[in-house]
């Protein structure tokens, strides 16, 4: 097992703190969220698959190619010497697609934080270099040897069960944090993809593809595209509601359920001025949605209960820490300006503002978590973590379903059997026909 050094983690915490305090100088939105190592790798996989498709291939990419490009990406962005292996074809286009995804989602990665730290830090108070490029590279590129099939060792049943339990908890925690991330940054397309059909709302690949096309058509985020559609349906009115031919019409119920659930979370966010209480309510609401209909022995239920308790405790700790920091006059600089005292929604806006500060601190910590050791599990297309349609990976979700060519919808086995039946020699009939056979219709 690889043991991670605490030095890069502490150094990155210092960089993120400076970034949150001074990000208004370089970004248009203070609600920008951070992709950790795992998020960066998933975005890179999507970028590579997208480039492959644009060059006449399929929306697919080999794991070995992703890991090779991952190494090049980190060394390139950290301005370290390139590896001995040659760059992949279309690497520059892959890098640009990767950056476009981050900009479109109002997100940055940990290497961007490292790059911005130099220009944002204050010479008098902030350390000169809390973490070196080499240490950051080693932290982000950590991987497990067993991710290569030829080097993997068969697992015992107990270790396999333990691995699966850990896998379930990681996936469940990612869903919790993705819901909270949407409250902070609704443009985060990755967070929306990880929550759209968890719990199941019958919103699979086809629904996600229709949302993507609607977002591309209106040049908006995925979240704004689907919420605009649902709001238009709710308001109705002749000439205002979406046309009956709109592809999203097929998914009205699922999309409405998703937006309604997020509306409930938004109401919770603004109704309490105490971030600890508000955060606990948010986590409890997400947990209730995830465990609905699951039996007592379900692995997802156990993981959701454990994750909810951990997040509630951490939110309370972060709130207490920020209160102490504010009392000392240090401030945190994590959220938009405090609402005016005479504002109509002063109490609601104030409560939401303080809770957002805590949620952003929580999400920043999640981004600094050590990377998943087994990259094959992280990027697998058939990762059996959550039940039903929730088992689809991000790559599988972003891939558009195959368009029907009008061919036979029968399974291949049935088509082969039918062809064999046609090729079988037919036995000649031994029936003696009468002299009036010509007047009868053939059997």
């Amino acid at each position: 097992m690889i043991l991670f050094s605490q030095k890069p983690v502490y150094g990155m915490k210092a960089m993120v703190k400076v970034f949150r305090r001074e990000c208004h100088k370089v970004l248009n939105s203070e609600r920008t969220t951070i992709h950790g190592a795992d998020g960066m790798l998933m975005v890179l996989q999507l970028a590579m698959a997208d480039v492959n498709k644009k060059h006449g291939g399929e929306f697919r990419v080999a794991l070995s190619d992703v890991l090779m490009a991952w190494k090049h990406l980190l060394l390139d962005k950290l301005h370290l010497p390139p590896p001995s292996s040659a760059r992949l074809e279309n690497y520059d286009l892959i890098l640009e697609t990767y950056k476009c995804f981050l900009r479109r989602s109002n997100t940055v990665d940990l290497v961007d934080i490292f790059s911005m730290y130099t220009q944002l830090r204050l010479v008098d108070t902030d350390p000169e270099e809390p973490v070196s490029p080499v240490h950051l590279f080693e932290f982000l590129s950590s991987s497990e040897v067993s991710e290569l099939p030829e080097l993997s060792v068969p697992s015992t049943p107990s270790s396999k069960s333990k691995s699966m339990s850990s896998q379930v908890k990681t996936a469940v925690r990612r869903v919790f944090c993705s819901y909270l991330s949407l409250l902070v940054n609704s443009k985060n397309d990755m967070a929306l993809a990880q929550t759209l059909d968890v719990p199941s709302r019958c919103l699979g690949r086809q629904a996600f593809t229709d949302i993507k096309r609607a977002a591309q058509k209106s040049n908006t985020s995925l979240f704004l595209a689907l919420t605009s559609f649902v709001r238009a349906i709710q308001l109705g009115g002749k000439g205002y509601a979406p046309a009956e031919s709109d592809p999203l019409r097929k998914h009205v119920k699922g999309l409405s359920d998703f937006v309604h659930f997020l509306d409930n979370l938004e109401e919770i966010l603004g109704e309490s001025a105490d971030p600890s209480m508000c955060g606990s309510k948010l986590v409890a609401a997400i947990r209730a949605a995830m465990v609905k209909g699951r039996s007592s022995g379900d692995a997802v239920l156990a993981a959701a209960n454990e994750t909810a308790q951990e997040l509630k405790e951490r939110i309370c700790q972060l709130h207490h820490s920020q209160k102490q920091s504010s009392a000392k006059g240090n401030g945190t600089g994590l959220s938009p300006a405090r609402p005016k005292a005479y504002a109509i929604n002063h109490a609601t806006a104030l409560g939401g503002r303080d809770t957002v500060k805590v949620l952003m601190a929580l999400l920043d910590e999640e981004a600094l978590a050590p990377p998943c050791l087994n990259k094959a599990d992280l990027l697998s297309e058939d990762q059996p973590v959550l039940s039903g349609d929730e088992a689809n990976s991000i790559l599988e979700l972003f891939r558009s379903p195959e368009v029907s060519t009008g061919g036979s919808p029968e399974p291949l086995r049935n088509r082969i059997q039918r062809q064999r039946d046609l090729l079988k020699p037919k036995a000649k009939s031994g029936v003696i026909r009468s002299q009036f056979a010509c007047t009868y219709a053939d059997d």
Side-chain angles (χ1 to χ4, degrees):
M1 179 181 291
I2 298 174
L3 296 179
F4 296 101
S5 171
Q6 292 298 318
K7 183 177 180 181
V9 177
Y10 289 137
M12 287 187 291
K13 284 183 178 180
M15 290 192 303
V16 170
K17 183 178 179 181
V18 172
F19 168 76
R20 285 302 178 195
R21 189 187 66 210
E22 306 291 339
C23 66
H24 62 277
K25 298 178 181 178
V26 293
L27 299 175
N28 295 326
S29 173
E30 294 181 355
R31 293 292 189 95
T32 300
T33 46
I34 303 172
H35 279 300
D38 292 347
M40 293 171 64
L41 193 59
M42 286 190 284
V43 172
L44 177 62
Q45 183 190 35
L46 293 177
M48 295 180 69
D50 189 51
V51 171
N52 286 344
K53 184 177 181 180
K54 288 180 179 177
H55 281 74
E58 298 183 18
F59 195 86
R60 298 178 185 274
V61 59
L63 175 62
S64 56
D65 289 343
V66 176
L67 297 180
M68 186 185 300
W70 174 238
K71 192 172 185 179
H72 279 281
L73 174 76
L74 295 179
L75 292 173
D76 189 16
K77 294 188 70 173
L78 289 168
H79 305 290
L80 293 173
S84 56
S85 57
R87 284 187 175 185
L88 290 172
E89 187 180 3
N90 300 320
Y91 170 78
D92 292 335
L93 188 55
I94 292 172
L95 182 60
E96 181 58 31
T97 306
Y98 174 88
K99 293 178 179 178
C100 285
F101 187 97
L102 296 184
R103 286 196 297 268
R104 186 173 65 250
S105 301
N106 191 29
T107 55
V108 294
D109 62 27
L110 290 176
V111 183
D112 294 330
I113 301 293
F114 177 83
S115 301
M116 287 186 281
Y117 172 77
T118 303
Q119 57 179 313
L120 293 177
R121 74 183 184 90
L122 301 178
V123 179
D124 298 334
T125 58
D126 300 318
E128 183 174 351
E129 190 181 66
V131 61
S132 69
V134 174
H135 282 137
L136 184 55
F137 170 77
E138 291 175 349
F139 174 80
L140 293 174
S141 62
S142 299
S143 60
E144 190 176 38
V145 176
S146 64
E147 70 189 9
L148 300 176
E150 60 270 22
L151 298 180
S152 61
V153 179
S155 302
T156 61
S158 59
S159 64
K160 185 176 181 180
S161 176
K162 183 177 180 181
S163 175
M164 179 60 67
S165 176
S166 175
Q167 217 174 336
V168 170
K169 186 176 178 181
T170 300
V172 167
R173 190 179 187 92
R174 190 178 293 128
V175 171
F176 270 90
C177 292
S178 294
Y179 271 116
L180 298 178
S181 181
L182 283 177
L183 295 177
V184 175
N185 173 22
S186 63
K187 292 183 178 181
N188 191 339
D189 288 349
M190 187 69 73
L192 185 139
Q194 291 169 337
T195 57
L196 183 65
D197 201 36
V198 183
S200 178
R201 301 182 178 94
C202 298
L203 298 174
R205 284 171 54 195
Q206 185 59 61
F208 190 77
T209 298
D210 292 337
I211 296 171
K212 280 195 307 176
R213 290 170 180 167
Q216 292 169 356
K217 185 177 180 180
S218 57
N219 195 27
T220 60
S221 66
L222 299 178
F223 179 83
L224 185 57
L226 74 89
T227 51
S228 298
F229 170 79
V230 173
R231 301 298 184 215
I233 290 290
Q234 292 172 342
L235 293 174
K238 187 176 181 181
Y240 187 79
E244 293 294 334
S245 59
D246 193 317
L248 293 179
R249 282 274 190 180
K250 302 189 298 289
H251 320 292
V252 169
K253 185 179 185 307
L255 296 178
S256 299
D257 290 345
F258 179 72
V259 172
H260 178 67
F261 180 67
L262 289 178
D263 285 344
N264 290 341
L265 296 182
E266 289 282 358
E267 290 179 8
I268 295 173
L269 181 64
E271 70 183 5
S272 176
D274 181 4
S276 295
M277 183 183 299
C278 183
S280 295
K281 289 182 178 179
L282 288 171
V283 171
I286 297 171
R287 175 207 162 275
M290 290 193 65
V291 304
K292 185 177 180 180
R294 295 187 181 273
S295 59
S296 58
D298 192 282
V300 175
L301 173 62
N305 291 337
E306 186 177 350
T307 301
Q309 185 60 34
E310 291 175 357
L311 291 178
K312 288 178 182 179
E313 293 175 358
R314 189 55 190 153
I315 286 173
C316 291
Q317 293 169 358
L318 289 171
H319 177 216
H320 181 69
S321 175
Q322 290 186 3
K323 281 177 62 177
Q324 288 184 328
S325 181
S326 298
K328 294 178 181 178
N330 296 331
T332 56
L334 294 180
S335 66
R338 182 178 291 271
K340 302 295 183 181
Y342 53 79
I344 295 176
N345 65 336
H346 176 268
T348 300
L350 183 60
R353 169 188 176 275
D354 289 340
T355 303
V356 166
K357 290 169 60 177
V358 176
L359 294 182
M360 290 181 75
L362 174 69
L363 295 172
D364 289 347
E365 283 190 350
E366 293 295 319
L368 296 175
C372 175
L373 294 181
N374 195 321
K375 303 300 188 286
D377 282 346
L378 177 67
L379 304 177
S380 174
E381 293 184 18
D382 55 350
Q383 189 174 1
V385 174
L386 303 177
S387 61
D389 294 336
E390 303 162 14
N392 286 336
S393 69
I394 293 298
L395 180 66
E396 182 71 17
L397 189 61
F398 272 83
R399 179 189 298 130
S400 300
E402 285 75 10
V403 179
S404 175
T405 57
S408 174
E410 288 183 290
L412 179 61
R413 179 184 301 175
N414 294 357
R415 298 202 302 271
I416 292 175
Q417 186 60 46
R418 193 177 69 252
Q419 189 67 22
R420 285 177 176 175
D421 293 340
L422 292 175
L423 294 176
K424 285 181 180 179
K426 295 183 178 179
K428 294 183 179 180
S429 175
V431 178
I432 300 176
R433 309 185 71 179
S434 72
Q435 59 180 332
F436 303 106
C438 60
T439 63
Y440 301 145
D442 292 335
D443 292 335

